[in-house]
Amino acid sequence: MTVLFGLRLGRWGLAGFTLTGFAWNLTQTVGFYQVVGHSAAERAAFGASIATLAARFTALVPPPIQPETVGGYVEFRGFHELAIIFSVWAMFAATGFARGDEERGIVEASLAAGARRTALLASRTGSFAIAILVASAASGAEFGIGVASGGETVDPRRVIEVCALLVAIRLASYGIALLVAQLATARTAAASAGIVLLALFLLNSLSRSFPSLSTWRWLSPFRYYDLSQPLPPGGNFDLRGFAGLILVAAITVAAAAAAFERRDIGESLIRVPARDRPPVYDPIAAPWWRIPVVRGLYDRRLGLVVWAIGMGAVAVMFAALTKSIVQVLLSVPSLLPYLSIFIHTQVYPAVLGYTWFNFAELLVAAFAIVQVARWAAEDTDGRLEMILSAPISRSALVVERMAILIVGVALIAAVSAAALLYASHVNGIDLDARRLFAASLMLVPFCLVFAAAGSLLTAWNPRAAVGLVAAFAFASYLDTELGPIFKLPLWLQDLSAFKLFGMPLLNGVDGRNLALLLLLAAAGVGSSILLMQRRDVGA
């Protein structure tokens, strides 16, 4: 029954990510036949262009094998990206059980009913394993459907192997996040797990560009995932890499179970010693604590510092990689006539702006989702009820949340812009400082769109808010990726925040796109205020 109960609690994530995997791979497979061409020469040219594109993103995904084939293309554009997306799902699922359900009293109620801690953790891990099996099977099924629509056939064994890899990397990510959640506090569990998984991901991906990291990449589960690319012809399924992922999952889940047995409910395993102080029941007398935005930023100070430092470090990394990426592009003879025009003017800022801001958009969207998770938790764990009893009106609460997010994202964007400007200067890349900071501040309305959507979903259904806003962000990314391929209407493409962000570092801030971003955000905030007025807290 506990396994079924875990599936019931995670039904929104299961439904959302299953549909996400199905839709993503199906559109990638069908899109392949739209753009690949028909003759052997057209396919070879298409494969060369994809290989060139992949050279820009070796810091994120491994280079493809035979991208001119449907298997090679979909593994590169579909399954590799799903591995990253579903690892995020694993992180939220693990920290949601380990900490979110504790704050809601679900874990305590289960233990009071007679469940043992180890059995409870094992059952919830089993529930997640069933969920990812379903989601992975859906991703493999859509690939078969898409290939059939193109008049080709697929080897079932290869599809089973690539789906098994998806299951293994998600289980490993789930185990790591579950272990980190036992060591961190309840309010920092998701952020801590995200930092650890991102660090392990970058350790593996950056080792492709920085050989000095190759001696440490064995620590990353993503390294074992990269050893296999079974889907394209000539690809391989590394059994040892797959076993390594399963071993990582088993060890981390077992360690998490041992930590769960030894810590108190609501506490972390590692407790920082603190001085004994008498209890204080009076409100804080400091006048600045009464300023809404200031108190919200102070409450989130550690998280903002971590996000700012993290994005600044990633910006420095992209600046250091830009010249090597351009050298790879210059090694492609067919691109020399085009690149030679801009080699002394715009090629380095163009590549840096394209790679860094594409990645920064994903990070900022993730930041918005983390804030939505915080708002949803406040609704279900009793904090929202206490806040409203201060008293604070519901509309003021939504506005305050948005103001805190705007200031927080602006600080993160400013720090990352300063880091990028300094690092690009060190690496001999001249960037327009004014345009760089303007482009970085465009991340604020970009983030506000997803935060507004999350605020609306939190006001409607807090339990489903995180999964649905993640699906909304993914659909927005999917819109801008597939819009040109399927020739979607321009108005539909303009609903994507990724599309509206554009390339402000090269082309400047587009006033029309900025206005549309603000309009979408205002619509979400206004709708969330209306819904907040009509829903009972905790319902």
Side-chain angles (χ1 to χ4, degrees):
M1 291 298 292
T2 51
V3 173
L4 295 177
F5 182 63
L7 286 173
R8 181 179 179 276
L9 291 176
R11 64 190 183 278
W12 284 102
L14 172 60
F17 281 97
T18 298
L19 291 175
T20 295
F22 188 90
W24 177 248
N25 272 0
L26 181 61
T27 51
Q28 292 294 344
T29 308
V30 174
F32 170 80
Y33 292 108
Q34 297 285 331
V35 298
V36 69
H38 302 286
S39 66
E42 289 175 329
R43 289 207 167 199
F46 176 78
S49 66
I50 294 299
T52 302
L53 175 67
R56 301 180 183 182
F57 296 100
T58 54
L60 298 177
V61 291
I65 296 176
Q66 296 193 20
E68 70 278 4
T69 65
V70 65
Y73 176 82
V74 175
E75 183 158 68
F76 171 66
R77 294 283 291 147
F79 283 99
H80 284 340
E81 295 191 17
L82 280 181
I84 299 173
I85 294 169
F86 286 169
S87 293
V88 176
W89 174 25
M91 179 198 73
F92 279 115
T95 55
F97 157 63
R99 289 304 188 177
D101 287 353
E102 277 189 11
E103 293 197 311
R104 299 183 186 97
I106 296 175
V107 171
E108 192 171 4
S110 299
L111 296 177
R116 296 184 58 186
R117 294 194 179 202
T118 303
L120 178 61
L121 187 143
S123 66
R124 294 299 290 272
T125 303
S127 300
F128 183 73
I130 294 173
I132 61 175
L133 281 171
V134 173
S136 299
S139 302
E142 62 67 31
F143 174 69
I145 294 172
V147 171
S149 70
E152 296 186 25
T153 59
V154 61
D155 184 354
R157 178 181 60 84
R158 294 183 181 275
V159 177
I160 292 173
E161 288 174 347
V162 75
C163 290
L165 281 173
L166 282 181
V167 172
I169 187 61
R170 293 175 214 170
L171 281 176
S173 300
Y174 182 88
I176 292 170
L178 193 62
L179 177 59
V180 172
Q182 309 301 320
L183 307 178
T185 62
R187 306 206 70 179
T188 63
S192 301
I195 291 170
V196 171
L197 286 174
L198 180 61
L200 292 174
F201 173 77
L202 292 177
L203 174 62
N204 172 63
S205 59
L206 292 180
S207 66
R208 305 186 195 106
S209 302
F210 298 103
S212 60
L213 296 177
S214 60
T215 56
W216 299 99
R217 63 186 178 188
W218 63 271
L219 294 170
S220 172
F222 297 96
R223 166 60 180 167
Y224 305 114
Y225 174 82
D226 285 354
L227 292 176
S228 300
Q229 292 199 53
L231 206 53
N236 70 297
F237 179 77
D238 191 288
L239 188 59
R240 291 180 298 177
F242 176 77
L245 287 172
I246 299 299
L247 183 62
V248 169
I251 291 175
T252 51
V253 169
F260 188 34
E261 286 282 357
R262 287 165 174 77
R263 70 175 179 86
D264 293 333
I265 297 295
E267 299 290 343
S268 61
L269 181 66
I270 300 176
R271 301 181 64 178
V272 178
R275 292 182 301 172
D276 291 333
R277 295 180 179 178
V280 177
Y281 302 101
D282 296 327
I284 296 176
W288 58 266
W289 189 253
R290 298 187 180 95
I291 304 174
V293 177
V294 173
R295 69 184 175 219
L297 292 173
Y298 180 80
D299 192 31
R300 295 163 174 80
R301 62 194 183 280
L302 294 179
L304 289 175
V305 169
V306 171
W307 275 96
I309 294 175
M311 282 194 63
V314 175
V316 171
M317 175 199 74
F318 272 93
L321 289 173
T322 296
K323 284 198 171 182
S324 62
I325 293 174
V326 171
Q327 292 304 318
V328 172
L329 297 178
L330 292 174
S331 66
V332 181
S334 60
L335 294 179
L336 286 177
Y338 176 76
L339 291 178
S340 62
I341 300 174
F342 303 100
I343 189 63
H344 296 298
T345 55
Q346 298 187 42
V347 65
Y348 290 113
V351 173
L352 179 56
Y354 185 79
T355 55
W356 158 243
F357 279 105
N358 272 6
F359 195 71
E361 288 173 70
L362 297 176
L363 290 177
V364 168
F367 177 79
I369 294 172
V370 170
Q371 303 311 304
V372 172
R374 182 190 183 100
W375 301 337
E378 288 176 350
D379 192 289
T380 55
D381 64 13
R383 288 193 183 96
L384 179 60
E385 190 173 4
M386 295 177 62
I387 293 172
L388 294 177
S389 66
I392 296 177
S393 70
R394 299 190 179 204
S395 57
L397 174 67
V398 174
V399 173
E400 180 180 342
R401 285 174 171 177
M402 293 300 112
I404 293 169
L405 181 130
I406 289 171
V407 176
V409 176
L411 290 173
I412 294 171
V415 170
S416 62
L420 186 66
L421 183 64
Y422 173 77
S424 61
H425 177 73
V426 170
N427 287 276
I429 302 173
D430 294 325
L431 296 178
D432 186 326
R434 181 179 301 177
R435 183 168 287 185
L436 172 61
F437 278 93
S440 298
L441 290 178
M442 271 289 288
L443 292 171
V444 176
F446 173 84
C447 181
L448 195 57
V449 170
F450 298 109
S455 179
L456 173 61
L457 293 168
T458 303
W460 171 64
N461 189 336
R463 186 81 188 186
V466 175
L468 291 178
V469 75
F472 170 73
F474 183 75
S476 180
Y477 178 75
L478 192 66
D479 186 15
T480 189
E481 285 285 304
L482 301 180
I485 296 176
F486 291 99
K487 298 180 175 57
L488 298 178
L490 185 60
W491 67 267
L492 184 58
Q493 296 186 44
D494 282 343
L495 294 177
S496 168
F498 292 91
K499 167 69 164 53
L500 295 175
F501 185 83
M503 297 185 66
L505 183 60
L506 290 180
N507 305 323
V509 175
D510 188 297
R512 170 185 173 274
N513 290 354
L514 176 59
L516 287 174
L517 284 172
L518 294 175
L519 182 62
L520 289 173
V525 172
S527 301
S528 66
I529 289 176
L530 292 177
L531 281 180
M532 278 289 288
Q533 303 292 340
R534 290 166 171 78
R535 184 181 64 83
D536 292 334
V537 175

